[in-house]
Amino acid sequence: AQTVTQSQPEMSVQEAETVTLSCTYDTSESNYYLFWYKQPPSRQMILVIRQEAYKQQNATENRFSVNFQKAAKSFSLKISDSQLGDTAMYFCAFIGGTSYGKLTFGQGTILTVHP
Amino acid sequence: ETGVTQTPRHLVMGMTNKKSLKCEQHLGHNAMYWYKQSAKKPLELMFVYNFKEQTENNSVPSRFSPECPNSSHLFLHLHTLQPEDSALYLCASSQAQGGGGGTDTQYFGPGTRLTVL
């Protein structure tokens, strides 16, 4: 079974600074996909970024980028130029190539951006 | 409406009531999902529907009964719930691949906050 671990329950950052959220996972599959989702106080789950395991290049999406270390099974999210609107719960998620829709989530990290 | 919508947004029910949650996706997807989000627990996948067929039931108690009449609509029928069933119920959709929900990105609705008294 796949597991996803987020070891930082809470983090905080000053506006305009950079913060990195950690995520590790465990799987025996060679083909899989990793995601970061954001859940603001409105509770709407929003996709932040997606990474395919077969791609060596780290995914980027505007101010959001990942550091994907396949051998270490690590998938961290870097948020640059943090904004107040980035305040949310962030979930790391995994789906295996043979999982047929079974998305496995980590416990989440609450990120607070301070003015 | 765009994306994935869920109604109602909030629901309070007694343990003997019967109610239904509704999810509708406007993304042209053919796989739909129910998740449960409880306080202090990771999101739990409950059910997966692929081309209207249920392909996953994650050991969910029978007091939760899903229904998927077409690829755009998903229901969760609730009856004789327990207080521990109080949670945020999230619906999601994605493109399906082959015989299962596939690996495509799942897009979520805003959720229904359920309180069981």
Side-chain angles (χ1 to χ4, degrees):
Chain A
Q2 291 87 6
T3 59
V4 178
T5 302
Q6 294 178 248
S7 58
Q8 305 153 315
E10 295 187 43
M11 292 194 70
S12 64
V13 64
Q14 292 296 124
E15 196 174 8
E17 293 187 348
T18 296
V19 64
T20 299
L21 309 183
S22 301
C23 172
T24 58
Y25 58 93
D26 189 26
T27 183
S28 57
E29 298 200 47
S30 58
N31 182 32
Y32 51 87
Y33 302 78
L34 294 159
F35 305 84
W36 279 98
Y37 282 92
K38 163 186 175 181
Q39 190 177 40
S42 68
R43 310 300 281 174
Q44 175 83 52
M45 192 75 73
I46 301 165
L47 175 71
V48 175
I49 202 164
R50 167 189 165 111
Q51 173 80 44
E52 291 86 351
Y54 62 85
K55 289 187 177 179
Q56 293 188 345
Q57 186 172 8
N58 289 326
T60 62
E61 193 69 44
N62 300 316
R63 298 182 293 107
F64 299 89
S65 62
V66 298
N67 183 4
F68 173 47
Q69 301 290 327
K70 191 171 184 178
K73 296 181 180 176
S74 169
F75 182 61
S76 61
L77 175 70
K78 185 172 84 170
I79 306 174
S80 304
D81 186 26
S82 297
Q83 300 176 359
L84 297 178
D86 295 332
T87 293
M89 175 84 90
Y90 286 80
F91 291 95
C92 178
F94 169 101
I95 193 165
T98 59
S99 294
Y100 299 111
K102 300 176 195 176
L103 193 58
T104 301
F105 284 84
Q107 304 92 322
T109 296
I110 299 173
L111 174 68
T112 303
V113 180
H114 297 286
Chain B
E1 291 278 12
T2 58
V4 182
T5 59
Q6 289 186 244
T7 54
R9 295 294 307 275
H10 301 273
L11 178 62
V12 179
M13 59 186 290
M15 293 196 293
T16 58
N17 291 157
K18 289 185 180 181
K19 297 286 184 183
S20 295
L21 309 185
K22 178 183 176 182
C23 175
E24 183 173 1
Q25 60 93 4
H26 309 268
L27 300 169
H29 292 159
N30 41 38
M32 297 187 77
Y33 313 81
W34 279 117
Y35 288 87
K36 177 183 179 182
Q37 186 176 23
S38 305
K40 302 184 187 299
K41 291 179 70 175
L43 274 83
E44 303 170 72
L45 178 66
M46 301 175 70
F47 301 104
V48 179
Y49 275 83
N50 182 41
F51 294 99
K52 302 188 297 179
E53 299 297 321
Q54 187 181 123
T55 55
E56 178 71 18
N57 177 337
N58 197 21
S59 303
V60 180
S62 60
R63 58 186 183 270
F64 295 91
S65 175
E67 178 189 2
C68 188
N70 55 61
S71 294
S72 299
H73 294 86
L74 184 65
F75 295 89
L76 188 62
H77 303 299
L78 316 171
H79 62 98
T80 60
L81 294 191
Q82 304 298 311
E84 60 265 29
D85 297 322
S86 298
L88 181 71
Y89 288 85
L90 292 165
C91 173
S93 72
S94 75
Q95 281 300 117
Q97 298 164 2
T103 56
D104 209 0
T105 301
Q106 294 182 23
Y107 293 89
F108 286 80
T112 295
R113 170 67 66 186
L114 173 66
T115 303
V116 181
L117 302 176

